[in-house]
Amino acid sequence: MVVKDKRWKVGHLKASKHCNTRENMSGSISVNVKVEFLGGLDQTFGGVRSTKCQVSSTGAENEVKLMDLIQHLASNLITNEKDLEMFIQDGTVRPGILVLINDTDWELEEKEDYVLEDGDLISFTSTLHGG
């Protein structure tokens, strides 16, 4: 499957333990969160298992949602276009990746529409394993 949605652009930055965004000149808000990649998913993100991110709102609302973080990660930490398919499918996190927001399943927290707060811990765990 080829990702054709233009909002998913593979980043050109080398993956690191910090994925801070550039300062946002438009005055939109940003939050600082910790992100973990578990279950082998760290390989999709250049071997990074844990990172701290400053994420800005990409929407018209003045709040930062989990979808903003997902877009940020896809744009800034995934350096190989083939790896994007391991993280994104049909415009969201692919099935088989468990997403936890502060140790709570994201399905109980409004999924992509969850409004991020400073200090949130977002964990992405792959349940997809070869055999």
Side-chain angles (χ1 to χ4, degrees), residues 35-45 66 70 73-74 78 82-90 92-101 104-107 111-112 122-129:
V35 182
E36 297 176 326
F37 305 106
L38 307 169
L41 197 57
D42 57 312
Q43 296 306 307
T44 300
F45 292 90
L66 185 55
I70 293 167
L73 296 173
I78 296 178
K82 291 181 180 180
D83 287 339
L84 190 59
E85 296 176 15
M86 297 302 298
F87 185 59
I88 301 294
Q89 181 179 322
D90 298 328
T92 189
V93 176
R94 84 177 283 116
I97 296 178
L98 175 65
V99 182
L100 298 178
I101 302 168
T104 301
D105 190 328
W106 77 328
E107 304 232 356
K111 298 173 85 172
E112 299 95 340
I122 310 300
S123 302
F124 297 92
T125 305
S126 177
T127 62
L128 306 172
H129 301 283

Side-chain angles (χ1 to χ4, degrees), residues 61-85:
E61 308 102 23
N62 220 8
E63 54 191 16
V64 183
K65 295 188 176 186
L66 185 55
M67 182 53 84
D68 297 319
L69 173 64
I70 293 167
Q71 290 174 346
H72 176 81
L73 296 173
S75 298
N76 293 295
L77 284 184
I78 296 178
T79 56
N80 184 336
E81 192 170 341
K82 291 181 180 180
D83 287 339
L84 190 59
E85 296 176 15

Side-chain angles (χ1 to χ4, degrees), residues 109-122:
E109 297 284 351
E110 301 181 50
K111 298 173 85 172
E112 299 95 340
D113 292 326
Y114 172 80
V115 177
L116 293 171
E117 298 179 10
D118 274 330
D120 277 346
L121 171 63
I122 310 300

Side-chain angles (χ1 to χ4, degrees), residues 1-82:
M1 167 195 275
V2 176
V3 179
K4 295 181 182 176
D5 191 335
K6 292 187 180 195
R7 68 181 161 182
W8 306 111
K9 296 179 183 173
V10 176
H12 301 288
L13 303 175
K14 183 178 179 186
S16 68
K17 293 197 178 240
H18 298 283
C19 60
N20 290 339
T21 59
R22 294 176 222 102
E23 285 189 25
N24 191 331
M25 303 302 264
S26 67
S28 67
I29 63 166
S30 64
V31 296
N32 296 299
V33 297
K34 182 177 180 186
V35 182
E36 297 176 326
F37 305 106
L38 307 169
L41 197 57
D42 57 312
Q43 296 306 307
T44 300
F45 292 90
V48 174
R49 290 185 57 105
S50 178
T51 185
K52 293 180 181 178
C53 294
Q54 181 182 39
V55 184
S56 298
S57 173
T58 59
E61 308 102 23
N62 220 8
E63 54 191 16
V64 183
K65 295 188 176 186
L66 185 55
M67 182 53 84
D68 297 319
L69 173 64
I70 293 167
Q71 290 174 346
H72 176 81
L73 296 173
S75 298
N76 293 295
L77 284 184
I78 296 178
T79 56
N80 184 336
E81 192 170 341
K82 291 181 180 180

